[in-house]
Amino acid sequence: MVAKKIYVILQLMKIIDMNTEDLLNQIAFIKEIDKVKYIQRKTKLFNSDRCENDAEHSWHLALMAIVLAEHSNEPIDVLKVVKMVLIHDIVEIDAGDVFMYDTVKSHDNTDEERLAANRIFGLLPKKQAEDFITIWEEFEAGETNEAKFARSMDRLEPLLQNTSNNGGTWKEFDVKYNKVYEKKSVIKEGSASLWNYAEGLINESVEKGILKK
């Protein structure tokens, strides 16, 4: 009887140790992702001269996904979309932010981002790390309904910002209509109605002279 009690106590101590280890790993991850707040994007806040950071961008996309979910082309798991947009740029802690209209480096998934995902998400307990990497990969692939809608949010927000800033980064980096139209057309894969709205803003920007053809 005594031996059995000792065995149970030892088993409980092992569980507590495992839980403590998981908690410490999760806290390490939480501390690491604070760096997202320091990653500056090229786009600026609405009606502002201050550049947005990655944390602000991700937060805004999450709220947009919740508010605009009804406009998705297909039924979606909104919580999954929120998870996607909240973690999609965490890899930029290591890989850095690549401007959507960069003419040298591709904005698409890179080897640097893959290494970053493995390192940063790898700080978490194994199962949680695997879940985060899977969600990140799904967003990058852009094939599921949730990923398509999440990517629509990611393309819509800077469009709204640039139109509020008299052309914003389009003017600053001499980005032309064709390139903007090409990049923003991804929106229609997640939401036809939001694309109709976005396309109208793009054409209106040309008429106003803040986007050149």
Side-chain angles (χ1 to χ4, degrees):
M1 187 69 176
V2 174
K4 185 175 182 181
K5 286 183 178 179
I6 292 173
Y7 175 78
V8 170
I9 291 171
L10 289 173
Q11 288 297 104
L12 288 172
M13 287 176 63
K14 185 177 180 182
I15 291 171
I16 290 170
D17 288 344
M18 288 176 62
N19 288 341
T20 301
E21 183 179 356
D22 284 351
L23 174 60
L24 293 176
N25 289 337
Q26 289 163 334
I27 295 298
F29 173 78
I30 288 168
K31 289 180 178 179
E32 181 68 10
I33 63 172
D34 187 69
K35 295 175 182 177
V36 170
K37 300 172 186 175
Y38 296 92
I39 300 171
Q40 297 297 306
R41 293 167 52 81
K42 293 292 191 296
T43 46
K44 297 177 172 64
L45 302 177
F46 286 83
N47 304 302
S48 173
D49 291 328
R50 180 171 79 78
C51 287
E52 176 184 51
N53 66 51
D54 268 358
E56 292 168 327
H57 172 64
S58 298
W59 163 82
H60 211 167
L61 297 190
L63 264 294
M64 287 171 61
I66 294 169
V67 172
L68 300 174
E70 66 185 90
H71 300 287
S72 174
N73 288 338
E74 304 291 342
I76 53 173
D77 179 343
V78 178
L79 178 57
K80 191 174 186 181
V81 175
V82 169
K83 287 179 180 179
M84 283 182 181
V85 297
L86 285 177
I87 73 171
H88 79 293
D89 276 344
I90 286 177
V91 295
E92 293 183 0
I93 289 173
D94 287 357
D97 177 60
V98 178
F99 185 40
M100 182 177 292
Y101 303 108
D102 195 302
T103 57
V104 177
K105 190 172 183 178
S106 172
H107 185 264
D108 295 331
N109 189 20
T110 62
D111 291 338
E112 290 93 337
E113 288 179 335
R114 164 59 60 185
L115 290 172
N118 290 337
R119 184 191 75 79
I120 301 168
F121 298 135
L123 294 173
L124 290 164
K126 187 173 184 296
K127 178 62 169 62
Q128 211 165 27
E130 291 172 350
D131 290 344
F132 274 52
I133 290 174
T134 297
I135 292 172
W136 176 75
E137 289 175 334
E138 184 176 336
F139 173 85
E140 291 296 323
E143 295 175 353
T144 64
N145 294 336
E146 286 78 14
K148 289 175 182 177
F149 191 72
R151 288 162 71 90
S152 293
M153 300 297 96
D154 195 33
R155 297 300 170 91
L156 178 60
E157 193 223 19
L159 170 60
L160 298 176
Q161 290 169 321
N162 282 332
T163 53
S164 80
N165 286 316
N166 197 35
T169 53
W170 300 336
K171 275 191 171 182
E172 184 178 354
F173 297 98
D174 193 30
V175 181
K176 298 295 192 294
Y177 167 88
N178 287 343
K179 181 60 69 173
V180 172
Y181 194 93
E182 173 195 343
K183 294 291 185 180
K184 300 305 177 183
S185 63
V186 169
I187 294 171
K188 66 185 173 186
E189 295 180 12
S191 173
S193 59
L194 290 178
W195 168 241
N196 287 338
Y197 176 76
E199 188 177 27
L201 285 181
I202 294 171
N203 292 331
E204 184 180 305
S205 297
V206 173
E207 294 171 6
K208 289 181 177 178
I210 63 175
L211 180 62
K212 297 179 181 178
K213 273 201 171 183

